Amino acid sequence: MHVLVVHDYGPLGKVLLERLRETSLHVSPLLVSNPNSADLSALAQWIPEDTDLVVNALWLADPEAAERDPEGTHKVAFSLPVAIAEYARERGIALFQLSSCYVFDGRKQTGYLASNPGQPVNELGSWQWESEQALRTLLPRHIILRTGWSLSRFIRKVQRSTAAANEALTLPDKCVGQPVSVVDLARVVTAIIQQLDCGAEVWGTYQYAGAEEISLYELGLAIAGLPGIPEDLHIVDDMPSWGALEPQNTTLICTKIRNTFGIKQFPWRSGLVNELVLLKENAARLEASKPG
């Protein structure tokens, strides 16, 4: 199977490519350095003719960033995957697309099933839900994988707070969900692709997040205990200015992915230290690549 991985400069693309290259798959990278300005009419130049599966590893999991750039979010979360799906349909290519827990409004009292319809409350979730629906219509041979919170996003929040002298980090205890690390997500994506390579006809929508439901406040406390995080960091249980973008419940039930692929949830806590190291390495790599 020839797998084309569409990625940016974020850590997921790098880690996923490394994992896939350890398999027997034929893997090709497609770096999209600036997805917001990508020429969607040039897909024929991007995608090799013998491609069997396109993996869109442009992982959008930050609703704050989406609100700051609604046009860019629309393009990356909706226009790009839809354009790939239309191109793929005509050529017998399958598509693996990432989505997120932000397609839900958080009003459900229990965890969300993969079969539950989206009711997004922010820009990111809206375009991801629109994209999901379009892919189901356009391309039967698709995998949509909804993820939990990006663990990296909240590690960065803690890091930025430590850089701001005497500034407490406000995180709401009322918002509950499950983080997922880059390494764990790459493991899951690779496992699914390997089973597709074995001929499994298991197309559809799946969900994955790390084991253990937690509040954003408690997640902040867990991150604050990492090596290298200043001990005097003060985390407060309150609703921050960006809190309206966070559904109160984004817990994902991940039994479908376990029953179909045998993929078990790994504890996100076990990936905390590695995620911090990965972020530092990625930041150093980006800094080193700057001209001059």
Side-chain angles (χ1 to χ4, degrees):
M1 175 185 275
H2 184 186
V3 179
L4 179 71
V5 179
V6 181
H7 67 101
D8 55 13
Y9 287 115
L12 178 60
K14 178 178 181 292
V15 175
L16 179 59
L17 284 166
E18 288 172 351
R19 286 197 74 111
L20 289 172
R21 283 169 176 155
E22 293 173 355
T23 71
S24 60
L25 296 162
H26 175 198
V27 181
S28 299
L30 175 61
L31 173 64
V32 183
S33 57
N34 188 359
N36 292 5
S37 61
D39 181 6
L40 302 185
S41 66
L43 288 177
Q45 301 170 32
W46 300 358
I47 303 176
E49 290 184 4
D50 64 342
T51 300
D52 298 299
L53 174 69
V54 175
V55 178
N56 185 3
L58 301 176
W59 185 28
L60 301 181
D62 185 347
E64 293 173 82
E67 297 294 323
R68 290 192 297 267
D69 184 13
E71 289 186 11
T73 300
H74 170 257
K75 184 161 189 177
V76 181
F78 179 78
S79 299
L80 177 60
V82 167
I84 295 174
E86 290 174 338
Y87 183 89
R89 179 182 57 183
E90 298 170 3
R91 292 160 180 83
I93 300 171
L95 174 62
F96 193 124
Q97 175 67 32
L98 295 175
S99 186
S100 81
C101 57
Y102 289 107
V103 301
F104 299 120
D105 63 8
R107 295 180 183 178
K108 197 166 183 274
Q109 297 301 308
T110 56
Y112 285 93
L113 298 165
S115 57
N116 288 147
Q119 291 182 308
V121 295
N122 56 45
E123 192 82 23
L124 176 60
S126 294
W127 287 120
Q128 287 180 327
W129 176 240
E130 291 291 330
S131 176
E132 284 191 19
Q133 295 182 95
L135 296 191
R136 293 186 190 104
T137 301
L138 286 168
L139 192 65
R141 296 176 70 241
H142 69 263
I143 295 286
I144 295 169
L145 180 62
R146 295 181 188 139
T147 71
W149 293 329
S150 163
L151 186 56
S152 294
R153 176 188 169 212
F154 292 101
I155 290 177
R156 290 192 191 98
K157 277 192 178 294
V158 171
Q159 290 175 321
R160 285 195 296 267
S161 180
T162 61
N166 300 319
E167 185 177 317
L169 175 60
T170 302
L171 292 170
D173 195 52
K174 66 191 294 185
C175 295
V176 176
Q178 310 130 297
V180 60
S181 71
V182 165
V183 170
D184 195 22
L185 181 55
R187 170 188 72 90
V188 171
V189 173
T190 300
I192 293 174
I193 295 172
Q194 286 182 297
Q195 294 193 45
L196 295 178
D197 183 42
C198 293
E201 292 288 331
V202 285
W203 311 105
T205 303
Y206 298 88
Q207 300 183 153
Y208 183 81
E212 186 193 344
E213 183 182 313
I214 194 169
S215 73
L216 284 178
Y217 171 69
E218 291 170 329
L219 177 60
L221 294 178
I223 295 170
L226 290 174
I229 302 294
E231 294 182 0
D232 59 352
L233 172 64
H234 190 40
I235 296 179
V236 177
D237 170 19
D238 204 351
M239 187 60 70
S241 58
W242 48 269
L245 302 175
E246 294 291 335
Q248 290 194 21
N249 173 29
T250 55
T251 302
L252 302 178
I253 295 176
C254 304
T255 51
K256 183 179 177 182
I257 199 170
R258 184 189 66 206
N259 294 341
T260 305
F261 298 104
I263 295 172
K264 297 179 180 179
Q265 289 174 276
F266 279 11
W268 55 265
R269 288 183 187 271
S270 63
L272 271 171
V273 173
N274 193 37
E275 192 85 348
L276 180 60
V277 171
L278 197 63
L279 285 176
K280 290 179 179 178
E281 291 176 346
N282 193 65
R285 188 170 65 254
L286 291 177
E287 186 66 30
S289 66
K290 289 183 180 178

